Amino acid sequence: MKKMRTKTVRETAVEEAFHEVEPKDLNASDTLFGGELMHHLLDKVGGKVAQHHSGRVCVTRHAEIDIAASAYLGETLFFKASLNRAWESSMEVGMKVTAVDFQKVTLRYIGNAYVTFVALDDERRPVAVPAVIPRTLDQKRRYREAEDRRAFYRRKKKS
Ligand SMILES: CC(C)(COP(=O)(O)OP(=O)(O)OC[C@H]1O[C@@H](n2cnc3c(N)ncnc32)[C@H](O)[C@@H]1OP(=O)(O)O)[C@@H](O)C(=O)NCCC(=O)NCCS
């Protein structure tokens, strides 16, 4: 069987995906819809990192999303995302969102997410993914913390 090439975190990281908040993105209280934010986290940004790493179609299996502040019309959301860890068929992508108002020159933290994607083969069964090599101190910390989150879900599954 052909050996899979391991990848570094940097190879697949997204440094600056952005989305300008538009009137159609707003809920009744004039702030960004949670679903719009999730669409970007899961499909537009996180899924791309997982698909780039695995070279496969990936589906969302689990998501932990923390939204600490609302985003408003006129702001631009910036997404940073990178692969924290890969196991057999699953991969955890960590993401951070900030909002920039270019007129007021402000930058605000909006939230973060840890999303687990599963790579699928042509029959839509989970398929093995390459390992990831953490290089920097931050990447190594995220790599360890991802294993803690996995251990937590596995304990919960057993209980
Ligand atoms: C992805 C899917 C095919 C996998 O089904 P399955 O064969 O039952 O396999 P499981 O879900 O038990 O496990 C698959 C992987 O997910 C991991 N996983 C399962 N539950 C998890 C959770 N709550 N948190 C983190 N990882 C989880 C498993 O550990 C396994 O990873 P590994 O192979 O690296 O060890 C199936 O769950 C599915 O189709 N889900 C729906 C996905 C979807 O439609 N998402 C929305 C649209 S993108």
Side-chain angles (χ1 to χ4, degrees):
M1 208 210 294
K2 202 174 138 200
K3 200 167 177 289
M4 275 186 287
R5 186 174 76 82
T6 55
K7 289 185 183 163
T8 60
V9 174
R10 196 166 167 206
E11 270 178 88
T12 60
V14 170
E15 287 297 330
E16 261 187 20
F18 64 90
H19 173 73
E20 208 178 313
V21 180
E22 297 175 3
K24 68 172 176 47
D25 301 332
L26 301 179
N27 59 29
S29 61
D30 272 347
T31 62
L32 181 77
F33 274 121
E36 183 65 27
L37 187 59
M38 282 168 68
H39 170 53
H40 280 80
L41 290 170
L42 304 182
D43 304 325
K44 294 230 156 180
V45 183
K48 295 278 185 309
V49 173
Q51 297 198 9
H52 190 175
H53 180 81
S54 62
R56 298 280 186 172
V57 167
C58 295
V59 287
T60 309
R61 182 65 180 83
H62 181 78
E64 256 181 74
I65 300 174
D66 185 58
I67 307 175
S70 299
Y72 302 94
L73 191 65
E75 288 185 313
T76 299
L77 302 177
F78 279 94
F79 296 85
K80 274 189 167 193
S82 57
L83 200 86
N84 288 345
R85 191 156 183 155
W87 294 277
E88 297 299 321
S89 68
S90 64
M91 298 151 280
E92 184 190 271
V93 177
M95 284 169 270
K96 183 176 168 190
V97 191
T98 48
V100 183
D101 184 320
F102 290 110
Q103 286 186 349
K104 295 183 193 151
V105 199
T106 55
L107 180 71
R108 293 184 310 112
Y109 170 74
I110 298 295
N112 68 44
Y114 299 109
V115 183
T116 304
F117 295 91
V118 175
L120 301 180
D121 66 14
D122 295 343
E123 272 77 49
R124 298 191 55 81
R125 288 176 311 218
V127 63
V129 297
V132 65
I133 311 161
R135 290 245 162 94
T136 67
L137 284 177
D138 274 342
Q139 290 169 3
K140 287 178 183 169
R141 174 182 51 76
R142 293 182 194 126
Y143 187 85
R144 284 193 305 273
E145 290 173 355
E147 187 60 41
D148 294 342
R149 280 184 288 276
R150 178 174 162 101
F152 179 73
Y153 112 73
R154 287 168 87 100
R155 275 199 306 276
K156 224 166 77 180
K157 198 174 160 190
K158 276 195 197 138
S159 61

